[in-house]
Amino acid sequence: MSLLILFVYFCSPKNLFLSMIDLQIQDKTHDEARQGEALILYAPVKADARKLYIESYGCAMNFADSEIVASILSETGFETTGDYHQADVIFINTCSIRENAETRVRNRLSQFGVEKRRNPKLIVGVLGCMAERLKSKFLEEERLVDVVVGPDAYRDLPNLIEQVESGHKAVNVLLSREETYADISPVRLNSNGITAFISITRGCNNMCSFCVVPFTRGRERSRDAHSIIEEAKNLFEAGYREVTLLGQNVDSYTWTSEDGSETVNFAQLLAQTAMVNPNLRVRFSTSHPKDITDEVLETIAKYDNICNYIHLPVQSGNSRVLELMNRTYTREWYINRIDAIRRIIPGCAISTDIIAGFCTETEEEHQETLSMMDYVQYDFAYNFTYSERPGTLAARKLEDDIPEEVKKRRLAEILAKQQAHSLMRLQEWVGKTVRVLIEGTSKKSDQDYCGRGDSGAMAIFPALTGVKPGDYANVYIERCTSATLIGKIV
């Protein structure tokens, strides 16, 4: 059965490679990857099948989790649909990183409420981080919601649905120290059949003061390395040609076998994944500056099919602000890691996340963030203003004292600088030939293909007979816009 994914508003394959941070306001050179978009996940359904409708908001981990949910419920007779009017069960997989991410979910629930009043048997559920944060309180605030399920409780969904069908509301938000869903083969809700996510860790041990993830996804745990490699092999055999290893902090991945005879760190896992097949391209997200090692960088340099691309969130260019954020590294440490990347992997593309207007940030400290951008010259960045989240250390201990107009002005300065850097980085490819993995047709013309090179930059080029999605092509770059390379196959 072929699987399809529908992107609401307008989307591109780049949306499948988002950082773990809310992208509601970000670099305008990559404004096609908008946090406001929902990923509506579905596959063709049989007329007599129970129908499941899923929308995912937020990070790539949520998208991957929705594939796990679809797999679990497929075992009980559900097939996914792209039309919620036909659904027996509607789930929203939610994000809690920013307040307006939660506001969008509530607005969407009110729209589903119209359908529920028309069809009282319809089950509406909330999954993911927002469900974990609010727990049973969600049932009080949103009376049309029947099911509230946290990220570690998806195996319980069939039982929870049965509870609702028997007339009861259902909640399971228990966090786990062991759950990795390693034995579940995700239903690949991705239309191109070429790129896929593989979750390698769950949860996070980094208590960044601004971040709610440790409270909504629990403590970090690493998935069995053998199950990861087996999943990569199965994907390649099924025709996939690119995998992205996912985790809140992939660099801290460490798995030890039950008998203690085998230990695998992230660099070793990268190498094992690359060795599945030289035609399987390997990406990963997200790295943490305190944990990314020279061993990881040397592994990337060693294998041609590990992409020369690293997403390395900086958040701020000032050491005092970084300490308030509890990022556990300094400006100097971050620069050391950037220098190591440039030395070990020449030409490696680097992207980042930046927060404008964190608590007590001075104008001079903001200027240090701008100077960090000038030092690194990021290929692209996800930029946004600070948004206080309930329950975080910053909400408890720090005052959100930067006026909104100041935050927005600082963000505008960051955006303008990043737009210039992104254009400069893309211009460096003009006149060169890039090996591109063809992902599909361009959103603007079915006469053109689109695909990404090693650096992650999207390229558009005329389709040729005998070349198809899933193939690698050498594309000569003739020109570029601020976000896209444009060329032809040579």
Side-chain angles (χ1 to χ4, degrees):
M1 178 182 296
S2 62
L3 302 177
L4 300 176
I5 176 169
L6 171 64
F7 290 72
V8 179
Y9 307 120
F10 113 59
C11 195
S12 79
K14 203 174 299 172
N15 291 70
L16 304 181
F17 199 66
L18 305 182
S19 74
M20 302 297 109
I21 301 296
D22 186 318
L23 313 180
Q24 191 264 336
I25 303 176
Q26 60 182 19
D27 178 11
K28 292 180 182 178
T29 64
H30 289 268
D31 63 359
E32 69 269 35
R34 297 173 183 169
Q35 170 68 16
E37 296 169 357
L39 299 182
I40 301 176
L41 312 175
Y42 70 97
V45 298
K46 299 175 184 176
D48 59 346
R50 302 175 77 191
K51 297 176 180 64
L52 168 68
Y53 175 92
I54 310 178
E55 282 187 5
S56 288
Y57 292 82
C59 67
M61 188 67 75
N62 270 10
F63 175 79
D65 277 2
S66 291
E67 295 183 329
I68 289 172
V69 169
S71 180
I72 290 170
L73 291 182
S74 70
E75 297 298 317
T76 60
F78 279 96
E79 293 188 0
T80 51
T81 176
D83 182 359
Y84 72 82
H85 297 287
Q86 299 179 2
D88 300 290
V89 175
I90 293 175
F91 284 143
I92 304 182
N93 199 344
T94 60
C95 175
S96 259
I97 290 294
R98 290 172 61 86
E99 181 179 359
N100 50 12
E102 295 193 357
T103 299
R104 285 190 293 273
V105 169
R106 294 187 187 277
N107 291 340
R108 192 60 169 147
L109 284 172
S110 66
Q111 295 172 351
F112 292 148
V114 175
E115 185 67 20
K116 189 171 176 65
R117 285 188 286 271
R118 187 189 67 80
N119 175 17
K121 291 184 178 181
L122 175 65
I123 295 174
V124 176
V126 176
L127 314 177
C129 293
M130 191 175 176
E132 188 66 45
R133 189 180 78 78
L134 293 173
K135 300 178 172 60
S136 58
K137 185 180 178 183
F138 217 134
L139 299 179
E140 302 170 11
E141 296 180 0
E142 302 286 347
R143 297 188 180 276
L144 292 172
V145 172
D146 303 296
V147 185
V148 177
V149 188
D152 291 348
Y154 296 144
R155 292 182 193 270
D156 198 29
L157 278 169
N159 173 57
L160 298 172
I161 290 173
E162 284 186 9
Q163 288 185 41
V164 174
E165 289 173 336
S166 66
H168 304 281
K169 300 283 188 178
V171 178
N172 188 339
V173 289
L174 293 176
L175 290 175
S176 168
R177 289 182 177 269
E178 291 81 34
E179 181 62 83
T180 63
Y181 301 108
D183 60 320
I184 293 176
S185 179
V187 170
R188 298 295 170 180
L189 302 170
N190 183 333
S191 63
N192 64 19
I194 296 163
T195 62
F197 295 125
I198 300 178
S199 296
I200 67 169
T201 69
R202 296 189 71 82
C204 185
N205 289 345
N206 299 313
M207 300 298 292
C208 299
S209 64
F210 55 80
C211 186
V212 73
V213 167
F215 307 103
T216 59
R217 287 190 170 270
R219 306 296 287 176
E220 183 178 286
R221 58 272 190 202
S222 297
R223 180 178 161 189
D224 183 318
H226 297 292
S227 71
I228 294 169
I229 301 306
E230 186 65 23
E231 186 171 341
K233 289 178 179 177
N234 291 339
L235 285 166
F236 185 80
E237 291 171 1
Y240 288 82
R241 291 297 176 263
E242 180 177 292
V243 295
T244 299
L245 306 182
L246 285 181
Q248 256 70 38
N249 178 10
V250 291
D251 297 286
S252 62
Y253 174 91
T254 304
W255 172 78
T256 302
S257 60
E258 289 187 6
D259 62 5
S261 63
E262 183 181 8
T263 298
V264 179
N265 65 19
F266 182 58
Q268 293 164 336
L269 181 69
L270 266 181
Q272 291 177 20
T273 309
M275 287 188 288
V276 167
N277 193 287
N279 285 321
L280 180 66
R281 183 183 271 178
V282 182
R283 298 187 186 274
F284 57 90
S285 183
T286 298
S287 288
H288 195 294
K290 74 177 177 64
D291 291 320
I292 191 167
T293 64
D294 286 2
E295 182 186 9
V296 167
L297 303 181
E298 288 160 0
T299 301
I300 297 170
K302 179 178 179 180
Y303 294 92
D304 290 339
N305 58 328
I306 300 179
C307 292
N308 291 344
Y309 165 82
I310 297 173
H311 184 72
L312 197 67
V314 64
Q315 309 300 2
S316 171
N318 174 263
S319 293
R320 186 191 74 88
V321 175
L322 289 171
E323 183 176 8
L324 286 178
M325 291 177 169
N326 198 32
R327 291 291 287 173
T328 67
Y329 57 84
T330 63
R331 175 186 176 91
E332 291 71 27
W333 176 268
Y334 187 90
I335 288 175
N336 172 275
R337 292 294 80 204
I338 293 296
D339 290 345
I341 293 170
R342 299 295 190 212
R343 180 181 71 255
I344 298 171
I345 320 170
C348 183
I350 303 173
S351 62
T352 199
D353 300 335
I354 297 175
I355 297 174
F358 189 70
C359 308
T360 76
E361 180 188 62
T362 66
E363 193 61 34
E364 292 75 15
E365 289 164 343
H366 165 63
Q367 291 299 319
E368 282 206 78
T369 295
L370 296 178
S371 71
M372 178 69 83
M373 296 177 70
D374 285 331
Y375 185 85
V376 181
Q377 297 182 336
Y378 296 104
D379 290 72
F380 60 93
Y382 303 117
N383 308 310
F384 42 92
T385 57
Y386 172 63
S387 173
E388 184 176 273
R389 305 306 296 127
T392 60
L393 180 63
R396 297 195 305 269
K397 301 289 187 179
L398 302 174
E399 181 183 357
D400 183 9
D401 60 349
I402 307 300
E404 282 302 312
E405 61 270 21
V406 174
K407 289 182 182 179
K408 290 178 180 179
R409 190 260 302 163
R410 291 177 183 175
L411 176 64
E413 292 175 9
I414 290 169
L415 289 171
K417 187 174 288 291
Q418 184 54 52
Q419 187 166 15
H421 288 162
S422 293
L423 178 59
M424 179 198 70
R425 287 298 188 192
L426 288 179
Q427 286 173 335
E428 292 174 355
W429 291 106
V430 175
K432 298 179 181 178
T433 299
V434 178
R435 188 170 187 253
V436 170
L437 175 60
I438 303 174
E439 298 182 8
T441 56
S442 167
K443 62 179 176 288
K444 292 184 178 180
S445 170
D446 59 8
Q447 301 301 307
D448 292 332
Y449 279 148
C450 66
R452 285 182 292 164
D454 190 72
S455 70
M458 183 60 66
I460 305 295
F461 45 94
L464 293 182
T465 302
V467 180
K468 63 184 185 304
D471 290 343
Y472 289 96
N474 291 321
V475 177
Y476 178 77
I477 305 303
E478 299 173 306
R479 58 190 176 89
C480 70
T481 67
S482 61
T484 306
L485 301 172
I486 301 169
K488 62 183 180 181
I489 296 176
V490 295

